[in-house]
Amino acid sequence: MLDYSASWFIIEDIMILRRKIFACAVFALTFFLPLKLYAQKKNIRVALYPNGNYSYKPDGSLLGYDVDYLEKITEYSDLTFSFIECKNRAQAFEKLHNDELDLICAVNVNEKLPENLALCRYYYGFLLSLLYSKKSYDCTFKDYEKIGKSRVGFTDDSIEDFRIKHYFEEHGISPELVYFKTATELEIALNTGKIDIAIGSHREVNSSCKILDRIAYTGYTFASSADKKEILKELDKAITNIAIYEPDFTVNLRKRYFSYLSETPFTKEEKEYSKFSKREPRDKTLVVDESEEVIKGRIIDGNVTLLKDIEETDKAIIEVK
């Protein structure tokens, strides 16, 4: 005859053992696994230098396009980031060479880099090279005559030399060019009046400046040492996934930090027509040559209405209300 009482105790012991194993598994998953995942996070040292990319909140934390983008990368990778202060961009590259940091942000993809450095394959933003001045300088958007008579400052990082030469040749002007080693020196010269106009990226234009023209457009990405390609691969993967799963993220970043890029300043001619529209003219019509793109596709001061196009003369008639 079978001893059912003994079998029952054996089954009960097995059930208790299973519960203990399950409890241990849950404990391991809730405690040890997060610790393991956290331990896998690799800290990347990022260069921080004065170039218009960053600003500080009242609590001392950083704010900026790159800061927000790097924070987003942490959601798509096993990387975390800390910032290492540098005097300027040149020192940032020097520290990268000496293994005192791991990453430099916003590096022009067309830039000539030392052989021991490498770039990510994909862009995470773009650089728009601009001519800009202080708002007090008497020069308007695309006023090439005035630009040609100005002192224009630039650095090695502003834009490639051949693009500067081509730009001025294209518009038939020869301003006085002044070279500076760093963006900080360029900014000081602009603020103190040693130069009238500066050439730099849109990241360097602040609220005290105005845009005089747009020169060139190129992508930018991250740079690291050639022996740290695993970091760049991880960044490339994150850049790709952000673009796929959050395509509006970079668009919103540009709107947040560089909203002025979506605005087109008035040219000298447009300002003159705007002034004309504010006074009562003797003739209610005005003929404007569209080939000069004076008012094409724009509303000047909210008071000018395009009536119709005259195909034969390629001109338009506008009425001043």
Side-chain angles (χ1 to χ4, degrees), residues 21 35 42 50 68 71 76 113 115 121 128 155 164 167 170 173-174 204 216 222 244 256 259 272 275 302 305:
I21 293 173
L35 288 178
K42 180 178 177 61
D68 287 6
E71 184 176 347
Y76 287 87
L113 296 175
E115 293 183 358
R121 293 179 60 189
L128 187 62
T155 69
I164 295 177
Y167 171 80
E170 181 183 9
I173 55 179
S174 301
E204 295 159 3
F222 301 106
I244 292 173
R256 180 180 183 184
S259 59
E272 290 177 354
K275 290 179 182 178
T305 304

Side-chain angles (χ1 to χ4, degrees), residues 64-176:
Y65 185 101
D66 292 336
V67 176
D68 287 6
Y69 198 91
L70 290 172
E71 184 176 347
K72 178 61 66 175
I73 285 179
T74 62
E75 300 176 17
Y76 287 87
S77 71
D78 291 324
L79 304 176
T80 61
F81 302 95
S82 59
F83 291 89
I84 306 297
E85 291 195 11
C86 306
K87 292 181 180 178
N88 50 50
R89 196 168 185 269
Q91 189 184 59
F93 277 100
E94 182 181 346
K95 286 192 174 186
L96 184 62
H97 175 73
N98 295 332
D99 198 28
E100 297 176 42
L101 54 83
D102 307 302
L103 203 67
I104 297 179
C105 300
V107 178
N108 187 334
V109 296
N110 296 321
E111 187 172 345
K112 292 181 180 179
L113 296 175
E115 293 183 358
N116 62 327
L117 298 183
L119 295 175
C120 281
R121 293 179 60 189
Y122 304 116
Y123 311 162
Y124 75 94
F126 70 89
L127 287 173
L128 187 62
S129 296
L130 305 170
L131 276 177
Y132 62 96
S133 70
K134 305 298 290 184
K135 287 183 176 179
S136 57
Y137 188 56
D138 184 21
C139 185
T140 54
F141 188 65
K142 292 187 176 182
D143 186 352
Y144 300 118
E145 182 179 358
K146 185 61 178 286
I147 293 172
K149 298 176 182 178
S150 303
R151 293 164 297 171
V152 180
F154 69 101
T155 69
D156 287 334
D157 303 328
S158 298
I159 188 176
E160 295 92 342
D161 290 343
F162 77 91
R163 290 182 184 271
I164 295 177
K165 182 180 179 181
H166 174 75
Y167 171 80
F168 291 131
E169 287 179 349
E170 181 183 9
H171 297 291
I173 55 179
S174 301
E176 178 186 346

Side-chain angles (χ1 to χ4, degrees), residues 50-52 88 129-134 151-159 164 176-206 208-209 215:
N51 67 343
N88 50 50
S129 296
L130 305 170
L131 276 177
Y132 62 96
S133 70
K134 305 298 290 184
R151 293 164 297 171
V152 180
F154 69 101
T155 69
D156 287 334
D157 303 328
S158 298
I159 188 176
I164 295 177
E176 178 186 346
L177 295 177
V178 185
Y179 171 77
F180 296 92
K181 290 183 178 180
T182 67
T184 302
E185 293 178 358
L186 179 68
E187 182 181 4
I188 292 173
L190 185 64
N191 291 335
T192 56
K194 292 182 179 179
I195 57 173
D196 307 309
I197 298 172
I199 299 177
S201 80
H202 68 272
R203 299 165 68 100
E204 295 159 3
V205 178
N206 56 47
S208 67
C209 300
I215 303 176

